[in-house]
Amino acid sequence: MSEKPVVDVQVRAIFPTSAGCAVFLGNDEKVFIIYVDSSVGQAIGLSLRKLSRERPQTHDLIGRIFSGLGAKVDRIVINDFNDGVYFARLILSMANELGDRKIVEIDARPSDCLAIALQQKAPVYIAQHVWDEADDMTEILVRMEDSNEKELRNGDEG
């Protein structure tokens, strides 16, 4: 069984929305958006800024459980898009009982996968067929970043 090609992406930005957060993912070629709920958006934002909370959050707990079990997050793959919903897989590696490498794939929400991947410094990929179908939101990201910079500059003037 051959693996489907994937595209390497990074979290480029995260902005609050009325219903949660918009996470912009992409590379130099294109950017697309995944909408996430506020709590996961906050976890992603904290990881991007390399900050932590005083008390561990759910994604911190998951990372600690993986570490305690000797599992490492190898990567995440956003592997499908259907009816406006993205799907993802969390790929873990760990030693099996014979000391060989064992790969475990877990179906998970892309938002949770992103929070865990950022926390664990694991790469993020999107399946080529999903990438090809995703709308390019680069222009929207540029406008939002410009607007955000203007707001910051205007706040400094007051």
Side-chain angles (χ1 to χ4, degrees), residues 91-150:
I91 292 90
L92 307 175
S93 67
M94 57 194 300
N96 67 15
E97 55 281 351
L98 301 175
D100 293 326
R101 188 168 174 231
K102 176 181 180 178
I103 303 293
V104 178
E105 288 192 30
I106 301 170
D107 182 38
R109 298 184 311 174
S111 57
D112 292 327
C113 286
L114 287 168
I116 292 167
L118 288 170
Q119 175 203 69
Q120 301 289 313
K121 297 173 181 53
V124 177
Y125 299 99
I126 182 170
Q128 184 72 53
H129 72 280
V130 179
W131 175 256
D132 292 343
E133 296 296 319
D135 291 332
D136 187 358
M137 298 294 182
T138 304
E139 188 176 311
I140 291 170
L141 175 59
V142 169
R143 276 191 268 146
M144 291 184 77
E145 288 174 333
D146 287 348
S147 174
N148 201 28
E149 285 179 25
K150 285 177 188 173

Side-chain angles (χ1 to χ4, degrees), residues 27-124:
N27 54 31
D28 292 339
E29 182 183 334
K30 177 163 88 171
V31 173
F32 68 103
I33 300 173
I34 291 181
Y35 294 97
V36 304
D37 65 49
S38 295
S39 63
V40 179
Q42 186 175 41
I44 291 169
L46 288 171
S47 290
L48 281 175
R49 293 188 304 277
K50 296 177 180 31
L51 299 173
S52 62
R53 290 190 163 223
E54 187 176 318
R55 299 287 301 142
Q57 301 299 297
T58 303
H59 299 96
D60 301 317
L61 174 63
I62 291 169
R64 291 176 183 173
I65 290 170
F66 289 162
S67 178
L69 294 172
K72 177 185 176 294
V73 178
D74 270 358
R75 64 193 177 281
I76 70 161
V77 179
I78 300 166
N79 64 337
D80 206 0
F81 182 77
N82 191 3
D83 288 332
V85 177
Y86 284 97
F87 296 84
R89 305 286 287 173
L90 182 65
I91 292 90
L92 307 175
S93 67
M94 57 194 300
N96 67 15
E97 55 281 351
L98 301 175
D100 293 326
R101 188 168 174 231
K102 176 181 180 178
I103 303 293
V104 178
E105 288 192 30
I106 301 170
D107 182 38
R109 298 184 311 174
S111 57
D112 292 327
C113 286
L114 287 168
I116 292 167
L118 288 170
Q119 175 203 69
Q120 301 289 313
K121 297 173 181 53
V124 177

